[in-house]
Amino acid sequence: MNAPSQSPTSQARWLWPVLVTTTAVLFIASLKVGPASIPLWDLTTGNAGAEAATLALILAEIRLPRAILAVFVGGTLGLCGAVLQGLLRNPLAEPGLLGASSAGALGAVIVLYHGLATTVPLALPMGGIAGALTGIILIMFLAGRGARPSTLILAGVAVNSLAGALTALALNLAPSPFASLEIVFWMLGSLADRSFDHVRIVLPFVLLGWPILLTLRRPLEALTLGEDVASSLGFDLRHLQLRVVLATGLTVGACVSVSGNIGFVGLMVPHLLRPWVGHHPGRLVAPSALGGAALLLGADLLTRSPVLGQELKLGVVTALLGAPLFLHLLWHLRRRLL
Amino acid sequence: MSLEATAINLAIGGRAILIDASVRVDTGRVIGLLGPNGAGKSTLLRSLAGLEPSVAGKRTLDGVTAPPRANREWACRVAYLPQTGDLSWPVTVREVVTLGRLPHHAGPWGSQSAQDRAIVDLAMKHADVTLLANRPADALSGGERARVMLARALATEADYLLADEPIAGLDPGHQLQVMELLRARAGAGMGLLVVLHDLTLACRYCDMVVLLQAGRVVAQGRPLEVLNPDNLANVFGVRVLAANTPDGPIRVPVARLPEDVR
């Protein structure tokens, strides 16, 4: 674990203002930046000239849903990372590494490419949720609470490999000429070309799942001292685990069904914020939602960087940022892992 | 007022861990729970604490049947201190101790009141960890950590404390310090059930001892009566040096007995 230089006694006062400001700035930037730069100020004051209508359309139909989705997906991944880490008492737990995201993507792929999406309403998010729930339940079954980090990661590797292979298989079998391109989208994730239809798919599940996750603060605090102490303090851990599994499945499943599998956000955000909340697993939860939103807004901006000529996949950026951090964490945990 | 477990039976994986075990903790008293490794001491403590839901038998708190699992109301009355001082995150000592206040707040947020802070301060004072308050709890010595965990249990202000080997791994000075601390809590009206291995400390600091062997209670009563050479030979298979000194009684194991004389 990294060693913060400041006293770990209390939460940094500036944490919330900084997180809110960063998120707001990145949100506005992601409305503005892209192949067509949008002069937001001119647009609102009516000085945008002849192109005003086109720019407003780009803003409302392309940029805005993309930014909103970055907040929902990033927030969900950050939130679920913090909650899973608290529940499993393990800084490596997160939806991506545990396989919940890839299992969710598998569920969405099966629904999308085998005709269900057009015949059944809400089939796409339901497929993602069913997949994510299956993944997270498999993890709980294979490793369970109080598992050693190595067991948890191995279980995650197993679920991830299986879900990845089945996703590729489902896409190869699908009647689509673009299957191999689609595989890349689902494995690496992207927020490009998303619309308000996608926002509408995610919104109800975020509204349902986030409140559950945001109110788990006290049982997660109690788990600091292990499962026996948490139980003896009056917390029902079966109930807690059920709430985490359900809320993670709902939110992660719905999110990956529109964004594909975006890795490492749930790992990075709690890890970066933990020193600033005094390593407190309960106080980490709410800031992680905002931190996740900010991180994904920023990462999505990087995908649009003109330096590379073409747009990167979002999962490539988060992996480039997250994988070194993962290695750093492993390095510090290696004694516990052996 | 008492916390009582009657005729507790518990089998794990087909193996009987506790057989008709009964124990009673009165407020204001320190009860020692002694027995060889694997006799079921920790399991009995956990059963009484409401951490073994599959247990058969009767548990009562002040005459009222206890809930099968520890709930919030129960947690305000009965504190449990496990042997392993598990700590998942490097939070400060003060924050560890503050966790003891959790059962006193309902709802998902439960902010701390000034009264909570005063109680936490007092618990830290009683466990002699006030000076450690702002240190990360993962960077403490074994003795300091044991006292911090004890302070956490005291901060609940429960009427009963169930402590599993609270002095295991401590040096002699810290062992005496923690035992004096527990004694002082009993003096303040708390009822304590303490798993111990030190026969001398059990004689000196306990009002009563319960001797457990292979899941059964084989003797209970005043320490000097229960921890007599015959019982210790039968239960632990050791010969003890038993003496009375100006500082109090001592019981020191001096030799293992051959199987046939136990």
Side-chain angles (χ1 to χ4, degrees):
Chain A
M1 220 159 290
N2 63 341
S5 51
Q6 96 289 3
S7 154
T9 42
S10 62
Q11 180 167 339
R13 277 170 205 283
W14 47 262
L15 184 68
W16 277 104
V18 164
L19 281 175
V20 170
T21 314
T22 312
T23 310
V25 166
L26 289 169
F27 190 91
I28 291 166
S30 73
L31 294 181
K32 200 170 160 52
V33 178
S37 179
I38 297 181
L40 292 173
W41 181 251
D42 290 346
L43 213 55
T44 47
T45 52
N47 293 329
E51 286 183 320
T54 318
L55 291 176
L57 198 67
I58 293 177
L59 181 68
E61 296 299 322
I62 298 175
R63 301 278 169 81
L64 193 57
R66 184 171 182 161
I68 292 172
L69 279 178
V71 170
F72 284 173
V73 176
T76 293
L77 294 173
L79 199 51
C80 289
V83 167
L84 285 170
Q85 290 177 16
L87 174 72
L88 300 169
R89 305 194 288 132
N90 186 328
L92 299 179
E94 68 124 357
L97 284 175
L98 296 189
S101 298
S102 51
L106 170 65
V109 163
I110 291 173
V111 167
L112 199 56
Y113 292 90
H114 295 273
L116 289 166
T118 47
T119 51
V120 187
L122 283 180
L124 182 66
M126 287 304 172
I129 288 164
L133 274 176
T134 310
I136 195 88
I137 289 168
L138 257 174
I139 288 291
M140 293 296 172
F141 183 72
L142 286 170
R145 301 190 314 249
R148 283 145 46 100
S150 47
T151 314
L152 197 67
I153 293 307
L154 286 175
V157 167
V159 174
N160 261 321
S161 324
L162 186 64
L166 289 175
T167 304
L169 183 67
L171 287 167
N172 282 137
L173 294 176
S176 159
F178 307 110
S180 52
L181 275 177
E182 299 285 344
I183 292 175
V184 174
F185 167 78
W186 288 105
M187 301 272 193
L188 290 174
S190 171
L191 292 175
D193 309 323
R194 306 285 97 177
S195 69
F196 269 107
D197 288 341
H198 296 106
V199 174
R200 273 189 286 274
I201 286 177
V202 178
L203 184 65
F205 300 102
V206 162
L207 287 181
L208 212 61
W210 280 28
I212 300 179
L213 295 165
L214 285 167
T215 49
L216 296 176
R217 179 178 165 155
R218 287 154 49 74
L220 295 180
E221 277 177 38
L223 274 171
T224 301
L225 298 178
E227 303 218 334
D228 277 348
V229 171
S231 299
S232 80
L233 287 170
F235 294 99
D236 187 339
L237 298 185
R238 295 165 313 165
H239 187 222
L240 171 67
Q241 177 164 322
L242 188 68
R243 294 211 301 173
V244 172
V245 166
L246 274 179
T248 309
L250 279 178
T251 53
V252 172
C255 284
V256 296
S257 72
V258 302
S259 72
N261 178 8
I262 298 164
F264 293 106
V265 177
L267 181 82
M268 277 188 278
V269 171
H271 178 67
L272 294 172
L273 294 179
R274 188 170 280 120
W276 309 110
V277 295
H279 296 268
H280 203 285
R283 282 202 301 257
L284 184 61
V285 175
S288 288
L290 212 48
L295 182 75
L296 212 60
L297 282 166
D300 188 42
L301 275 170
L302 285 179
T303 65
R304 294 179 235 170
S305 158
V307 182
L308 293 149
Q310 63 169 22
E311 218 178 273
L312 282 174
K313 286 281 175 256
L314 191 47
V316 174
V317 176
T318 58
L320 284 175
L321 295 171
L325 203 81
F326 181 46
L327 292 174
H328 167 81
L329 261 172
L330 279 180
W331 177 257
H332 284 273
L333 281 170
R334 65 193 189 283
R335 275 189 210 90
R336 272 174 65 194
L337 282 163
L338 290 174
Chain B
M1 298 225 294
S2 68
L3 172 64
E4 210 170 342
T6 318
I8 294 290
N9 281 281
L10 182 72
I12 296 173
R15 199 169 80 87
I17 307 292
L18 292 172
I19 304 150
D20 281 330
S22 299
V23 62
R24 177 193 162 108
V25 189
D26 294 293
T27 48
R29 313 193 83 188
V30 179
I31 316 295
L33 185 55
L34 285 86
N37 296 133
K41 302 182 296 296
S42 295
T43 313
L44 182 56
L45 208 70
R46 289 170 49 83
S47 302
L48 197 53
L51 300 175
E52 298 281 0
S54 59
V55 76
K58 194 165 186 264
R59 293 158 52 238
T60 57
L61 176 59
D62 298 342
V64 181
T65 303
R69 251 172 219 281
N71 57 25
R72 203 168 64 79
E73 290 74 28
W74 171 268
C76 291
R77 304 278 324 273
V78 182
Y80 169 72
L81 181 62
Q83 188 182 347
T84 53
D86 265 2
L87 186 74
S88 309
W89 312 104
V91 294
T92 61
V93 165
R94 170 175 282 281
E95 286 185 341
V96 168
V97 178
T98 305
L99 294 176
R101 298 304 300 161
L102 280 172
H104 292 273
H105 300 281
W109 312 113
S111 58
Q112 271 184 70
S113 64
Q115 191 200 359
D116 286 325
R117 277 189 288 275
I119 290 166
V120 167
D121 283 336
L122 193 65
M124 289 199 293
K125 184 167 162 256
H126 283 149
D128 190 23
V129 293
T130 305
L131 293 175
L132 306 174
N134 294 323
R135 293 255 302 272
D138 64 334
L140 302 175
S141 73
E144 290 168 336
R145 189 154 170 160
R147 297 203 313 277
V148 168
M149 296 302 168
L150 179 61
R152 192 280 305 166
L154 295 179
T156 306
E157 296 212 306
D159 299 314
Y160 301 93
L161 172 63
L162 310 173
D164 199 349
E165 298 198 34
I167 59 168
L170 301 190
D171 62 61
H174 283 119
Q175 290 193 3
L176 289 170
Q177 183 187 21
V178 169
M179 289 313 293
E180 274 162 22
L181 235 149
L182 297 178
R183 192 67 253 173
R185 289 299 90 209
M190 191 183 238
L192 298 101
L193 181 63
V194 184
V195 175
L196 285 174
H197 276 304
D198 190 300
L199 305 172
T200 301
L201 293 180
C203 287
R204 295 216 189 142
Y205 289 96
C206 295
D207 299 298
M208 264 216 3
V209 296
V210 175
L211 203 53
L212 206 61
Q213 185 181 29
R216 294 174 199 274
V217 174
V218 290
Q220 58 181 315
R222 297 194 168 279
L224 292 182
E225 290 159 15
V226 171
L227 301 178
N228 62 45
D230 280 350
N231 276 343
L232 295 174
N234 287 332
V235 172
F236 293 99
V238 295
R239 184 160 60 82
V240 292
L241 172 68
N244 284 310
T245 71
D247 290 315
I250 56 170
R251 295 281 186 281
V252 181
V254 287
R256 258 164 57 81
L257 293 170
E259 296 285 340
D260 53 328
V261 289
R262 287 182 193 178

